[in-house]
Amino acid sequence: MRFVIDTNLLVSAIISTGLPRQVLDAARAGEFELCTSEILLAELLDVLGRGKFAVRLAQAGLSPKTLVDDLRGLAIVVTPAKVPRVVPTDPTTTTCWRPHWLGQST
């Protein structure tokens, strides 16, 4: 099995114990393949570098970069397929935009 773990769950797994840590430990034990992307790794690096997390990591002798590099080594790093934008970039769009499948707004 392959899983993508979002940034919030990874941060929880890194800074605390409990279910998020168990999920990360299961990936380390090879119970499933962890997948990620450079975009998600960059987001994780950014979040872990924020004050409240950086201080806790430093106290534990860890750095955000080392943790992200370790995760990069553990995971399969993939390049996501191009995904179309959900919100149009038309500058005349100023209020609520609804996808065609929701029908017309009133």
Side-chain angles (χ1 to χ4, degrees), residues 93-106:
T93 304
T94 57
T95 57
C96 181
W97 173 80
R98 294 171 60 93
H100 71 281
W101 45 267
L102 283 179
Q104 295 297 321
S105 60
T106 56

Side-chain angles (χ1 to χ4, degrees), residues 26-98:
R28 287 184 176 131
E31 294 179 31
F32 63 88
E33 292 180 305
L34 180 61
C35 297
T36 191
S37 69
E38 288 298 334
I39 293 168
L40 290 175
L41 291 171
E43 179 184 34
L44 181 62
L45 183 62
D46 175 62
V47 171
L48 291 176
R50 293 177 188 167
K52 64 182 178 181
F53 300 122
V55 169
R56 290 178 72 176
L57 294 176
Q59 289 171 343
L62 302 169
S63 76
K65 183 180 181 328
T66 300
L67 290 168
V68 171
D69 287 345
D70 289 348
L71 185 64
R72 182 180 283 111
L74 172 66
I76 298 169
V77 180
V78 299
T79 302
K82 184 173 176 158
V83 178
R85 289 185 53 89
V86 174
V87 179
T89 57
D90 182 353
T92 62
T93 304
T94 57
T95 57
C96 181
W97 173 80
R98 294 171 60 93

Side-chain angles (χ1 to χ4, degrees), residues 5-46:
I5 301 176
D6 83 332
T7 301
N8 291 327
L9 187 72
L10 286 170
V11 169
S12 295
I14 291 167
I15 66 169
S16 64
T17 60
L19 188 56
R21 174 74 57 87
Q22 292 173 13
V23 172
L24 186 56
D25 288 345
R28 287 184 176 131
E31 294 179 31
F32 63 88
E33 292 180 305
L34 180 61
C35 297
T36 191
S37 69
E38 288 298 334
I39 293 168
L40 290 175
L41 291 171
E43 179 184 34
L44 181 62
L45 183 62
D46 175 62

